Amino acid sequence: MTWEAVIGLEVHAQMLTNTKIFCGCSTTFGNEPNSQTCQICIGMPGVLPVLNKKALEFAIRTGLATNCTISRYSRFARKNYFYPDLPKGYQISQYEHPICEHGHIEILVDGEVRRIGITRIHMEEDAGKNIHEGTGGYSFVDLNRTGVPLMEIVSEPDIRSPKEAAEYMRKLRSIVRYLGACDGNLEQGSLRCDANVSVRPVGQKEFGTRAEVKNINSFRYVEKAIEYEIKRQIKLIEEGGKVIQETRLWDANKGITESMRSKEEAHDYRYFPDPDLVPITVEQAWIDEIRASLPELPDAKSQRFVSVLGLPEYDADFLASERATAEWFEEAVNLGGDPKIVCNWIKGEITKLLSTNGKSMDECPLRPAHLVYVLNLMKDTKINANAAKIILEEMYKKPEDTHGSFSLEIPKAIFRLESRVEQIIKEKNLVQISDSSEIEKIVDEILAKSPKEIERFKAGDEKLIGFFVGQAMKASKGKANPQMLNELLKKKLA
C-alpha cells in the first residue's frame, strides 16, 4: 500500500516587543531567573492585565503579510491547564475569536510552487520554564518568560512531506523577520513549532489519527522528526496496530519521537472568555495604515530581482530570503556593483567569512562599499580575484580600520577605505601582474617543464588547460592576470 502524509504546523513566534503582552516587565532574554516578573505576568489574584498595543500591531502585520483576513473584533480566552511553569493555572490565549484567519503563503519545493493555507493567527502569552539539569537533583522554575507575547500561526493540513514542512517554516521565519515582528532566533526558542502528523492511504479522503510532535526549534529537526513520525505510524499500522492521538517529543540524540502524554482536545482546556480583558476592536483605518507600512516582502523582492536586475531565480530567492542580505545586496548594487557579480561574491566569499566566524548577515562587519571598491579594483585589473578575497578577509578581521567608510560618496570615508586597501595590497604583495612579458616568461617555464602534458593536450585532452593555468598561477604566487594568462597559454598550445 502507498501512504500519504498529512501535516499541519503550529508555529510559535515570539513578538519583538520590549515588554510583555499584558504588563510592563522586560522581555530581554537570558537575564537572572525570576528577575523579570510581576503580579500580572504570574497571575496573582486581583490584578488586571492590559494588552500591549505593539503586540497587537505585530499580529496584524503578520496577518496582512500572510494574506489573512484581519478580524475587526477579537478577544482573549483563558485556556485552563496546570503545569509548574504556569502557576496561575491558565494561559491567556485566543480561541473563538482570533485576530487573523484564512490566509496562505506559497513555498517552492523541488521546482513546484505549493500554497499552504493558514487557518488562523492568534496572540497568547508564553509560560515559564522548568529547569531540571545541573540543579543537584532538584527542579526549579524560571518565570521570566511568563507573559512574553507569542503569535501562534496555525496552518491548514496542506503539507505533504518533511521537506515542505521545513520550507514552510523557513518562509514564515523570513516573513516575520522582514516585518520586524520576530527575530526568528531558533536557538533561543523565539521561533518553534508543533507538528501534527498523520498518514493515510493515497486516495483516501479521511485523515488518519494524528500525533503531535512538540517544540521543535530547528529546520533540520522539523524534517527529521516528521520523517521519523511518518515511518513510525506507517510501520505501526502495517503491523496491525493503531495510531493513538497523543503528544510526542523529539529526542534529537536518539533520532526518535517518544510519547509525552495523551493529546488534549479543546474541551479539555475549558476555554472561557477572559473576564479581565475587554474585547479587542480594531478600526479599519488602523489596519489600512499598517498595510501601507508593510515592507516589500521576500516573494515580491525576489521577483523584482529577477525582472529588474536580471538575476536567475535561484540567486534572487537566496538574496531575498533574508532581509539583511537583500538590503546589503541592494546597497552594493546602488553603489555601482554589477548585480550578478555582487550576488556571486555574497554567496561565496562573504557567506564563507560569516559562516567561519559564526555570524549572520546583519552582523557582517564588511559594508557593501567595501565589496564594491574591491570589485572596482578587479575591474580595473589592479588585483585579481584571489587578491580580492585576501583584501576582504583582512578588512573583515579589522573593520575598525575602515570605520566610517560606509559610502563611496563621502570623501573622508573613501580616503580611509583607499588607504586601508592600499596598505593590505602592499603588505600582502597583491598587485596583479599584468605585464605580458613577465606572464609569458612564467608560461614558457611551465610549458618547458610539462612536455608529457603538452603531448596529451594536443592529443585531445583539453581538460589539461586547467593544469597549466593552475601551475602558472602558482608560479606567479596567485598574482598573474587570469585573462592574459589564459590567452597566452592557448596561443602557445595551439
Side-chain angles (χ1 to χ4, degrees):
M1 183 178 292
T2 305
W3 297 87
E4 176 182 61
V6 178
I7 304 159
L9 294 189
E10 298 171 9
V11 175
H12 291 84
Q14 179 180 325
M15 291 188 268
L16 270 177
T17 58
N18 294 324
T19 54
K20 295 183 179 181
I21 189 167
F22 299 122
C23 67
C25 288
S26 170
T27 55
T28 303
F29 178 83
N31 279 348
E32 186 73 16
N34 297 310
S35 62
Q36 295 171 185
T37 62
C38 71
Q39 297 90 336
I40 291 175
C41 58
I42 62 175
M44 297 294 284
V47 297
L48 289 175
V50 176
L51 176 61
N52 185 330
K53 186 179 178 183
K54 195 68 182 174
L56 176 60
E57 180 188 332
F58 280 148
I60 293 173
R61 285 173 74 79
T62 306
L64 291 171
T66 52
N67 306 294
C68 286
T69 301
I70 309 302
S71 304
R72 299 277 305 280
Y73 172 91
S74 69
R75 71 173 305 156
F76 285 98
R78 290 188 179 181
K79 183 179 180 182
N80 296 278
Y81 63 96
F82 177 79
Y83 285 124
D85 59 6
L86 188 67
K88 61 187 178 186
Y90 63 87
Q91 178 189 28
I92 301 178
S93 182
Q94 292 193 299
Y95 180 51
E96 291 178 302
H97 302 287
I99 186 68
C100 312
E101 293 180 284
H102 313 308
H104 68 267
I105 62 171
E106 291 183 343
I107 58 173
L108 181 65
V109 178
D110 296 332
E112 181 185 355
V113 176
R114 294 268 293 114
R115 175 174 286 194
I116 308 298
I118 292 175
T119 312
R120 56 187 278 154
I121 299 174
H122 64 254
M123 298 174 285
E124 63 184 25
E125 59 179 352
D126 207 349
K129 177 184 177 185
N130 295 323
I131 303 169
H132 306 296
E133 297 175 357
T135 56
Y138 294 94
S139 290
F140 295 91
V141 180
D142 177 8
L143 297 177
N144 278 354
R145 213 167 65 185
T146 56
V148 165
L150 302 176
M151 287 182 286
E152 184 170 337
I153 306 167
V154 182
S155 85
E156 293 287 318
D158 292 340
I159 300 167
R160 291 291 173 267
S161 73
K163 197 171 182 179
E164 286 184 10
E167 195 54 41
Y168 168 81
M169 196 172 168
R170 282 192 189 93
K171 176 59 75 71
L172 276 185
R173 180 177 184 269
S174 177
I175 290 172
V176 294
R177 281 172 60 83
Y178 261 77
L179 298 172
C182 170
D183 63 16
N185 190 320
L186 298 160
E187 290 181 356
Q188 293 180 5
S190 299
L191 194 78
R192 56 190 189 269
C193 89
D194 304 337
N196 289 291
V197 183
S198 65
V199 297
R200 64 184 175 186
V202 171
Q204 177 180 301
K205 290 184 179 179
E206 296 77 21
F207 293 159
T209 303
R210 63 188 165 90
E212 180 188 49
V213 186
K214 290 284 287 184
N215 280 335
I216 316 171
N217 65 345
S218 94
F219 302 128
R220 187 162 64 95
Y221 289 162
V222 164
E223 280 199 69
K224 286 186 172 295
I226 292 175
E227 186 178 348
Y228 175 85
E229 188 55 24
I230 291 170
K231 289 179 180 174
R232 183 190 73 85
Q233 292 186 17
I234 292 173
K235 183 172 185 289
L236 183 64
I237 296 169
E238 289 183 339
E239 289 177 348
K242 286 187 178 179
V243 176
I244 59 171
Q245 186 165 319
E246 62 178 343
T247 297
R248 300 177 70 85
L249 286 178
W250 167 246
D251 187 324
N253 294 322
K254 296 178 182 175
I256 61 173
T257 64
E258 294 180 306
S259 182
M260 178 185 178
R261 61 174 185 263
S262 61
K263 174 65 181 171
E264 298 88 348
E265 297 286 359
H267 59 76
D268 293 323
Y269 291 116
R270 302 293 193 269
Y271 281 99
F272 67 86
D274 192 296
D276 291 336
L277 283 157
V278 296
I280 302 164
T281 53
V282 181
E283 296 293 333
Q284 185 60 44
W286 192 42
I287 297 173
D288 295 340
E289 184 183 325
I290 294 171
R291 188 191 298 277
S293 72
L294 292 180
E296 184 182 36
L297 293 169
D299 286 350
K301 197 176 280 290
S302 176
Q303 288 165 14
R304 180 166 59 81
F305 287 170
V306 172
S307 61
V308 178
L309 301 179
L311 290 180
E313 284 186 14
Y314 179 83
D315 288 341
D317 284 345
F318 169 83
L319 294 168
S321 64
E322 281 288 342
R323 184 172 181 172
T325 305
E327 290 178 347
W328 205 99
F329 164 77
E330 289 196 272
E331 187 177 338
V333 171
N334 289 336
L335 289 169
D338 177 88
K340 180 58 179 165
I341 295 174
V342 169
C343 173
N344 289 344
W345 278 81
I346 291 175
K347 288 168 62 182
E349 195 61 19
I350 304 295
T351 298
K352 178 185 164 190
L353 288 169
L354 291 171
S355 177
T356 302
N357 292 279
K359 292 188 179 297
S360 57
M361 197 63 177
D362 48 9
E363 300 170 303
C364 183
L366 290 176
R367 302 305 308 155
H370 296 153
L371 177 62
V372 174
Y373 185 80
V374 172
L375 292 180
N376 284 339
L377 291 179
M378 281 181 62
K379 188 178 177 183
D380 295 340
T381 69
K382 292 179 180 174
I383 59 171
N384 61 22
N386 187 53
K389 290 178 184 177
I390 294 171
I391 293 169
L392 288 173
E393 186 175 0
E394 290 300 312
M395 289 198 290
Y396 186 98
K397 288 177 185 171
K398 293 184 177 179
E400 66 276 8
D401 289 349
T402 52
H403 179 69
S405 53
F406 299 132
S407 170
L408 291 180
E409 297 173 352
I410 302 174
K412 188 176 178 181
I414 189 65
F415 176 74
R416 288 182 67 101
L417 181 55
E418 280 179 347
S419 300
R420 178 60 181 144
V421 171
E422 284 176 11
Q423 183 188 12
I424 296 169
I425 290 174
K426 188 176 179 182
E427 287 175 356
K428 302 287 181 181
N429 192 21
L430 299 176
V431 175
Q432 181 167 257
I433 300 172
S434 295
D435 182 326
S436 59
S437 61
E438 194 173 346
I439 295 176
E440 187 171 12
K441 184 181 175 185
I442 294 170
V443 168
D444 287 342
E445 287 175 357
I446 293 301
L447 295 180
K449 294 177 184 175
S450 314
K452 291 182 180 176
E453 285 79 7
I454 293 174
E455 193 176 329
R456 284 169 53 200
F457 179 83
K458 291 190 173 179
D461 191 355
E462 295 184 355
K463 290 181 181 175
L464 276 170
I465 190 68
F467 166 78
F468 295 120
V469 170
Q471 291 297 309
M473 192 59 81
K474 185 179 177 184
S476 74
K477 298 180 179 175
K479 295 190 292 180
N481 182 312
Q483 187 177 350
M484 293 177 69
L485 182 64
N486 272 284
E487 287 173 357
L488 268 170
L489 270 170
K490 287 176 182 174
K491 184 179 175 183
K492 287 182 177 288
L493 289 168

